[in-house]
Amino acid sequence: METEGFYMAEKRWRTWETVGLLVVLAAGNLLHFVYDWTGQSPIAAPLAAVNESTWEHMKLLFFPMLALVLFLFFKLPEQSPIPVALSIGTLVGLALIPILFYTYTGVLGFSVMAIDIAIFYISVLGAFLIGWFLNDNRELANRRGLLLTCLVILAILFFIFSYYPPEIGLFQEP
C-alpha cells in the first residue's frame, strides 16, 4: 500500500514537471518578444530580453524557472527537496547558455540563429534534468534559504543590469 502512495506521488510530480517544462519553454519564447511588443516599455525590460546579448537571453530561462520554483516553494511542503532541486537546475541552466553559446561561436567564428534557439531548449532541458536527478535528495530541503537567496540576488542583478549593463562581452550583442 505504501508503494502505491509513492507511485501516485511520483506520477503527480512527473505531471507537474512536464507541465512546468512546457510552460517554461513557452514563457521563455514569449519573453524574447515582450519588450518589443510593449513598445520597449521600461516595465517589461527587467523581465524580457531587451537586446540580443547572452545575458538578456539568460532572462528567458531565469524568470519562467523562478516563477515555477517560487510556486513550488509555496505549494509543496517545506521538507520537499523538489523546489531546491529545480533551483539548482535553474543555476545550471543559466550557466549552460553562455557556455554553449561561447563554445560553439568560438569554434565556428559566427553565430547561427537555429543553434542559439537550440541552446535555449537544451539549457531548459538541462535545468529540468538536474532537478529530476536531485529531487530525491532529502538533504537539499535544508538548503532552501540559501538557494532562494541566490535566486533573489540573481533577479536583482537581472533588474539592475537591464538598465545599467556592464561593459563586458556577456552584456554586449554578438
Side-chain angles (χ1 to χ4, degrees):
M1 194 63 139
E2 187 175 317
T3 305
E4 186 176 308
F6 174 78
Y7 174 75
M8 292 306 290
E10 184 75 11
K11 186 176 178 182
R12 189 170 43 248
W13 164 238
R14 297 293 172 231
T15 301
W16 274 106
E17 191 173 54
T18 303
V19 169
L21 172 67
L22 295 174
V23 167
V24 168
L25 288 171
N29 283 313
L30 289 173
L31 283 175
H32 191 276
F33 305 104
V34 166
Y35 183 66
D36 286 332
W37 289 345
T38 62
Q40 299 185 344
S41 167
I43 295 170
L47 301 174
V50 299
N51 62 42
E52 294 298 320
S53 73
T54 305
W55 177 262
E56 292 296 318
H57 281 81
M58 292 167 67
K59 286 182 190 178
L60 306 181
L61 179 142
F62 180 74
F63 284 108
M65 287 293 292
L66 178 65
L68 176 63
V69 166
L70 291 175
F71 172 76
L72 293 173
F73 266 119
F74 293 108
K75 173 92 174 134
L76 297 175
E78 191 170 314
Q79 63 274 18
S80 174
I82 293 170
V84 179
L86 276 177
S87 297
I88 294 168
T90 301
L91 299 175
V92 170
L94 284 176
L96 282 173
I97 292 172
I99 290 168
L100 295 173
F101 177 76
Y102 290 119
T103 299
Y104 103 80
T105 57
V107 170
L108 294 181
F110 56 90
S111 65
V112 178
M113 188 184 315
I115 297 174
D116 296 344
I117 293 167
I119 286 173
F120 170 70
Y121 284 91
I122 290 166
S123 299
V124 171
L125 287 171
F128 276 87
L129 281 173
I130 293 296
W132 181 69
F133 282 118
L134 295 176
N135 75 15
D136 288 333
N137 186 336
R138 298 283 173 218
E139 292 188 28
L140 284 179
N142 298 332
R143 307 286 186 253
R144 286 172 72 97
L146 173 65
L147 283 159
L148 191 56
T149 301
C150 287
L151 293 178
V152 167
I153 290 169
L154 272 170
I156 292 168
L157 291 175
F158 276 115
F159 277 50
I160 292 169
F161 294 153
S162 292
Y163 300 107
Y164 308 103
E167 295 291 325
I168 60 174
L170 183 66
F171 298 90
Q172 296 170 356
E173 295 190 54

